[in-house]
């Protein structure tokens, strides 16, 4: 999922920034929220198995639907994820190619650091 242009199926269109419009500070802001970082981690972990992306209903978030929608919107508008409609489902996937081209190694570094932090915090609880 690397298309940067707005995606449309029928009358539903979602705005995505073009690759050249993606800003580092917007990406870092989007990734600074623990809930959004968890979403990105889950998308990253499923890339090989689900190359078309994951539906919103796949994610079990402990927040209201409107808050979930807000988190997905922040990620989409910052250029971190792409959302496309497939039938009635909205699929979510990382814009890895765009992010790697603009900020080489950033996404992998953030995902690796987030995984290490989760392991460390899980170990501290037990």
């Amino acid at each position: 999922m690397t298309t940067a242009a707005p995606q449309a199926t029928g009358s539903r269109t979602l705005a995505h920034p073009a690759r050249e419009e993606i800003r580092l500070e917007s990406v870092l802001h989007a990734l600074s929220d623990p809930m959004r970082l968890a979403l990105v981690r889950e998308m990253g972990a499923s890339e090989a198995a689900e190359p078309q992306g994951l539906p919103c209903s796949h994610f079990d978030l402990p927040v209201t639907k409107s808050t979930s929608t807000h988190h997905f919107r922040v990620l989409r508008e910052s250029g971190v994820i792409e959302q496309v409609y497939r039938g009635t489902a909205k699929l979510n996937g990382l814009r890895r190619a765009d992010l790697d081209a603009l900020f080489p190694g950033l996404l992998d570094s953030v995902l690796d650091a987030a995984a290490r932090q989760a392991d460390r915090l899980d170990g501290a609880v037990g």
Side-chain angles (χ1 to χ4, degrees), residues 56-117:
C56 292
S57 60
H58 169 85
F59 302 93
D60 184 25
L61 301 177
V63 295
T64 65
K65 186 175 180 180
S66 63
T67 300
S68 295
T69 299
H70 167 74
H71 286 308
F72 282 109
R73 182 178 53 80
V74 169
L75 289 167
R76 184 185 75 246
E77 290 178 354
S78 69
V80 174
I81 68 168
E82 177 180 27
Q83 292 184 304
V84 294
Y85 281 102
R86 293 287 187 263
T88 59
K90 189 186 301 182
L91 300 180
N92 303 277
L94 296 177
R95 289 182 63 178
R96 181 176 288 281
D98 291 332
L99 294 173
D100 287 347
L102 293 168
F103 317 113
L106 176 69
L107 186 58
D108 286 333
S109 293
V110 167
L111 292 175
D112 183 53
R116 285 193 322 270
Q117 174 176 277

